[in-house]
Amino acid sequence: MKKIIILILLCCFSAYGKAVSDNNVSSYLNSLSEEQKNVLYEFEVLKKNGFETEQFWMKHKNEFSKIDDKVRDQLALEVFANSKIVYAPPKGSAVQFWLQAQSLANWMFYLSAFIAICAILALFKRYWSLLIDFVIRHLAPLLRFLFSPILLTYELLIASAFCIYYGVSIDEFVLRTVVIHVGLCLLWSQSTALFTKEYLIKRYIFKIENNFWGENSWEAVKTISLPALCLTLALLYVLYRVPQDIFYNYEIVLSGIATIYALPFWRTLEKYLYPVLFPFKNDRRERGINSLGGCTVIAVVVVLVLIFQDNFLFYNVIAALISLLAISFLILSLKMNYRYDFRNYYYLQFVTVLFLSLTFLYGFSYHLNEVVWFSLIGTSAYVVIKYFEIFSFFSDWKRSKAWAWKLLGVAALLWLLAKGILYVSKIIYRV
């Protein structure tokens, strides 16, 4: 009887010890770093292929805390079973050739689809009169009702909601992007048509331009701010559903700026904002440039506020704002905006260079690749623009007899900029 009791106790102890050991292995596996997991993976590969593992383990044993061989073998087996290998085909291999052939075939499919669309359009053009004649004779009453301007606007608005709502569930990237952007364009255009009560695009774009600086504040809100707000809400939904498509961060920043800056009180504040970028008074400057200067000042303030938050959630928004600011500063620094007084022109050159330099330093310090590349691309565009503008001070470079030499200078300048970008990229990424 005593032997039976002792045997039962031993079985219980062994089962309890095994459970504890398994729990220890599981908790230890979660605490491993990627380097340690790589070592265990290599250890298991050597073991499964019949190689001697003792020398390999002695070499990497110090990288682990004290574990016995049994736990080590369990850890290595778990890492091996749950690892995913990312394969990069070697250059010149058959696999690489197959991948390139598959890519070429995909582009040929796209080309064939494009050619087929062109052919169908050509056939439509050829038989368009017959089709129109048939439609007029048989379907005119129904089409006159279905495609009346007001009803067609609502139909397209419903189609835009359908494209946005179901477009985010499409797995294929290109098709998803096309469908969503068709929906976004329809949403903006048809909501604008409803608010302006003008159902032709030429008419309501003209109305938007008049309302932006018009005396009726509600018209500016109704025709510019509200459609932009609808577009911003739609983009928020798209970002929530497909956060991996980061370029929507740039679009939502643009629509958000349009929503806010179209509000009437900014027209009053403009006269206090744009002198920051145009300190020398000049009444001959275009009003649109003044508005762009005021909007740029607001965007700079918003970027500074987000940067001081030091939160990674804002990095995409910061990058989007910096890209728009780079474009704004390039436009504001153009010589054509300062035909009668060049004092603001020289001041804007200093501000633009300062902005591009600071954005590069910010992107480099925080390892934000998008910001770094925006600053490099903006700097390259700025240098090329200034190259053309230097000659414009003295003569019309296109009509000058030395235009070929100047064009050769552009090529040399682009070559130097490309070399500079390669040099900077080597420093940044330590290639």
Side-chain angles (χ1 to χ4, degrees):
M1 187 66 181
K2 291 181 179 180
K3 293 181 179 180
I4 295 174
I5 294 173
I6 292 172
L7 181 61
I8 292 173
L9 289 174
L10 289 175
C11 290
C12 291
F13 289 152
S14 64
Y16 177 77
K18 184 177 180 181
V20 172
S21 177
D22 289 341
N23 290 334
N24 289 338
V25 169
S26 178
S27 62
Y28 194 89
L29 184 62
N30 292 330
S31 66
L32 292 177
S33 65
E34 291 298 324
E35 291 78 9
Q36 291 173 323
K37 290 180 180 179
N38 289 337
V39 171
L40 291 173
Y41 182 87
E42 294 177 14
F43 175 86
E44 188 65 20
V45 170
L46 292 174
K47 184 177 177 182
K48 286 185 175 295
N49 286 277
F51 292 98
E52 180 61 35
T53 58
E54 190 62 26
Q55 184 178 358
F56 177 84
W57 178 247
M58 292 303 295
K59 182 179 178 181
H60 296 280
K61 187 176 182 180
N62 295 331
E63 299 176 20
F64 298 81
S65 59
K66 293 183 179 180
I67 56 175
D68 56 27
D69 293 343
K70 183 179 179 182
V71 174
R72 178 201 63 193
D73 294 341
Q74 290 178 345
L75 287 172
L77 187 60
E78 286 292 327
V79 171
F80 182 85
N82 295 286
S83 295
K84 183 179 179 181
I85 300 175
V86 179
Y87 176 71
K91 186 176 181 181
S93 64
V95 175
Q96 186 189 40
F97 177 78
W98 181 82
L99 291 174
Q100 292 174 347
Q102 188 181 41
S103 177
L104 177 62
N106 289 335
W107 280 107
M108 293 179 70
F109 289 144
Y110 296 147
L111 182 60
S112 66
F114 176 75
I115 294 173
I117 292 171
C118 293
I120 292 172
L121 291 176
L123 291 173
F124 267 114
K125 183 179 179 181
R126 183 174 181 179
Y127 299 104
W128 185 252
S129 58
L130 296 176
L131 180 63
I132 291 296
D133 182 62
F134 175 82
V135 169
I136 290 175
R137 283 189 289 105
H138 297 87
L139 301 177
L142 178 62
L143 293 177
R144 191 178 294 114
F145 171 75
L146 291 178
F147 294 97
S148 62
I150 298 177
L151 192 60
L152 182 60
T153 298
Y154 284 103
E155 291 168 355
L156 292 176
L157 201 60
I158 294 171
S160 71
F162 180 84
C163 290
I164 295 171
Y165 185 78
Y166 291 102
V168 295
S169 60
I170 298 174
D171 294 329
E172 209 280 320
F173 170 75
V174 176
L175 181 60
R176 179 175 71 239
T177 304
V178 171
V179 171
I180 290 175
H181 278 85
V182 168
L184 293 174
C185 290
L186 289 175
L187 176 64
W188 173 81
S189 61
Q190 302 314 305
S191 61
T192 304
L194 287 177
F195 289 125
T196 58
K197 296 182 180 179
E198 294 287 351
Y199 303 102
L200 295 176
I201 188 168
K202 291 182 179 180
R203 291 182 180 178
Y204 64 69
I205 286 181
F206 178 76
K207 198 167 183 178
I208 288 172
E209 292 175 353
N210 289 336
N211 290 338
F212 188 72
W213 288 296
E215 296 180 358
N216 191 336
S217 302
W218 169 242
E219 285 297 321
V221 174
K222 186 173 66 172
T223 58
I224 301 174
S225 186
L226 290 180
L229 178 61
C230 295
L231 190 63
T232 303
L233 294 175
L235 284 167
L236 282 173
Y237 170 75
V238 173
L239 273 175
Y240 173 74
R241 292 295 305 274
V242 283
Q244 66 273 18
D245 295 348
I246 59 174
F247 52 85
Y248 291 112
N249 290 282
Y250 300 87
E251 298 178 14
I252 198 172
V253 166
L254 190 61
S255 64
I257 289 174
T259 303
I260 297 171
Y261 200 65
L263 297 176
F265 66 89
W266 291 116
R267 304 284 79 72
T268 306
L269 292 178
E270 264 185 8
K271 59 183 179 181
Y272 304 106
L273 293 172
Y274 69 75
V276 176
L277 295 178
F278 309 117
F280 304 102
K281 189 175 180 180
N282 184 0
D283 296 331
R284 295 185 177 182
R285 189 171 49 248
E286 292 183 6
R287 190 170 182 179
I289 296 299
N290 291 340
S291 294
L292 180 59
C295 184
T296 302
V297 172
I298 297 170
V300 169
V301 173
V302 173
V303 167
L304 291 175
V305 171
L306 293 178
I307 287 175
F308 286 127
Q309 298 300 314
D310 197 19
N311 191 331
F312 73 95
L313 294 175
F314 298 133
Y315 285 165
N316 285 332
V317 178
I318 291 172
L321 282 170
I322 286 176
S323 67
L324 294 176
L325 281 171
I327 296 172
S328 299
F329 276 113
L330 289 176
I331 295 173
L332 292 173
S333 65
L334 292 175
K335 174 177 170 285
M336 60 183 296
N337 299 323
Y338 313 94
R339 297 188 182 96
Y340 307 102
D341 189 349
F342 285 101
R343 292 178 296 174
N344 287 320
Y345 174 75
Y346 299 131
Y347 176 73
L348 255 299
Q349 308 316 306
F350 168 75
V351 174
T352 304
V353 171
L354 180 64
F355 169 78
L356 293 172
S357 302
L358 290 177
T359 53
F360 176 80
L361 292 175
Y362 169 71
F364 179 76
S365 301
Y366 286 85
H367 305 287
L368 302 177
N369 293 338
E370 293 85 358
V371 175
V372 171
W373 286 112
F374 287 148
S375 62
L376 290 176
I377 294 171
T379 302
S380 302
Y382 176 79
V383 171
V384 173
I385 291 171
K386 295 306 121 179
Y387 174 85
F388 287 111
E389 288 186 350
I390 288 173
F391 290 110
S392 68
F393 277 100
F394 307 103
S395 63
D396 188 345
W397 77 276
K398 292 184 291 185
R399 296 181 181 178
S400 173
K401 294 181 180 179
W403 67 269
W405 289 102
K406 295 172 184 177
L407 199 61
L408 185 61
V410 174
L413 184 62
L414 290 174
W415 183 84
L416 288 174
L417 288 171
K419 282 290 186 180
I421 290 174
L422 289 176
Y423 177 74
V424 171
S425 64
K426 286 182 180 178
I427 295 176
I428 294 174
Y429 302 109
R430 303 189 187 280
V431 178

